[in-house]
Amino acid sequence: MSKAGWAYTVVLIGLIVTCVIALMCGVTFYTPTQIWQAFSGQRPAILNNILTFRLSRIIASMVGGGVLAVAGALSQSVFRNRLADPTILGVTSAGDLFILLGGFVLPALPFEKLVLALLGGAVALALLTNRRTLSQPYMLIIVGVALNLTFQGFNTLFTQGISVTSDTSLNGITWSSTLMLLLVGCVGLILALILSPWANNLKLSDEQLMTVGIPVKTMRVGLLALVVFLSATVTSVLGTIPFVGIIVPNVARKLVGHDYQTLIPFSLLSGAWLLLICDTVGRLIILPSELPVATLMTVIGGPFLIWLVLKGGLGR
């Protein structure tokens, strides 16, 4: 079996095992026998608890992690920068800010949070993308971090003195939110798989692509629009969860190579596994309370980002 084949096998087995552990563990622990009896109809109370609380959370964390990882991989392709990611570039924090402001001034509307997160992400990318940032990796990251902090600052300013529940924990997520994330996220992921050849084309310089008649601007704008759509989908349901889009694609390149037609599906599975692991650990580490998944991802992602910068691996 090839290296990529082994990598896929390990991730798939790990994902299945972690799903079973996540179903078993929580404030109340269920044995594998009890889980089996619940799904065979012998333990309706346990089944109701699993279906109401644990299963929706497991699905939401897997879909959210997979979507964020794919968004990160596409961002790195467009910007030709291995540190590019919707969270570090301010796309998700802009979405958070627009959701907050929209909640103050707009009535409740269908898909309101998703629409506002899309608008926020588009504004962030419009402010971020110009010829200088696209050609200078360090400038892109510096400007992106500055935008991220600015949007976070405005978010804090507008919530000063107001009790706002954190959305960066999956505790209490409902099936309606999970199904919306699943439906919209799957649409975005299918588009990402279809457009993965565009990401491969962007490995070449703009001059080379234009020479052979490939519409570089169309590809870049299309992939950026997809990045905003993917990140906004997660932000509107789960809030801002950092570093998934940096960690997963960079590790995936070491395991399955640089072909985006292989990298994107592997990032999808690996991102789902990573966020499910972090959410499960967060639920168990300080029982009966829990740590938000965003906090754990920050603890993991911060050192990884420092290592990546010190290694000098910015170019995609």
Side-chain angles (χ1 to χ4, degrees), residues 24-284:
M24 292 168 53
C25 296
V27 176
T28 303
F29 178 82
Y30 300 127
T31 65
T33 302
Q34 289 174 313
I35 297 290
W36 175 257
Q37 290 173 340
F39 280 100
S40 62
Q42 301 175 49
R43 300 271 190 138
I46 293 177
L47 181 63
N48 180 66
N49 183 57
I50 290 173
L51 294 179
T52 304
F53 300 108
R54 296 189 184 180
L55 188 59
S56 61
R57 183 167 183 162
I58 290 169
I59 293 173
S61 61
M62 288 195 297
V63 175
V67 168
L68 289 173
V70 171
L74 294 176
S75 298
Q76 290 156 27
S77 168
V78 172
F79 292 115
R80 296 190 174 101
N81 187 328
R82 290 177 64 187
L83 298 186
D85 169 69
T87 53
I88 202 172
L89 297 178
V91 174
T92 53
S93 58
D96 271 339
L97 177 61
F98 272 60
I99 290 171
L100 174 67
L101 297 179
F104 288 153
V105 300
L106 295 175
L109 299 171
F111 301 104
E112 176 189 321
K113 287 187 175 182
L114 176 59
V115 172
L116 291 170
L118 284 168
L119 289 174
V123 168
L125 279 180
L127 294 172
L128 179 68
T129 52
N130 57 67
R131 186 169 296 178
R132 291 190 67 189
T133 56
L134 289 175
S135 62
Q136 300 181 47
Y138 279 106
M139 180 175 287
L140 174 71
I141 299 305
I142 291 170
V143 174
V145 169
L147 280 175
N148 187 36
L149 293 174
T150 300
F151 289 127
Q152 287 179 357
F154 276 114
N155 206 316
T156 303
L157 178 66
F158 287 118
T159 57
Q160 194 69 31
I162 302 174
S163 178
V164 177
T165 303
S166 172
D167 289 327
T168 54
S169 170
L170 276 69
N171 185 29
I173 190 166
T174 62
W175 268 109
S176 59
S177 297
T178 298
L179 292 175
M180 197 275 280
L181 177 64
L182 180 62
L183 175 63
V184 181
C186 285
V187 170
L189 292 170
I190 291 170
L191 288 173
L193 292 170
I194 293 172
L195 298 181
S196 57
W198 287 10
N200 280 331
N201 288 335
L202 290 177
K203 294 175 184 177
L204 302 174
S205 68
D206 290 1
E207 292 76 14
Q208 289 175 299
L209 293 172
M210 287 187 289
T211 300
V212 294
I214 294 177
V216 183
K217 187 174 182 180
T218 300
M219 289 194 303
R220 184 168 280 123
V221 170
L223 289 177
L224 281 176
L226 183 54
V227 167
V228 171
F229 179 77
L230 291 169
S231 57
T233 299
V234 178
T235 301
S236 64
V237 177
L238 305 181
T240 297
I241 302 175
F243 293 114
V244 177
I246 293 179
I247 295 173
V248 174
N250 280 289
V251 173
R253 287 186 184 91
K254 300 291 186 182
L255 298 175
V256 298
H258 295 257
D259 183 354
Y260 279 89
Q261 290 180 282
T262 303
L263 183 67
I264 286 177
F266 186 77
S267 294
L268 166 63
L269 293 173
S270 301
W273 188 26
L274 174 62
L275 203 62
L276 179 60
I277 290 173
C278 288
D279 184 53
T280 304
V281 171
R283 286 195 290 125
L284 302 176

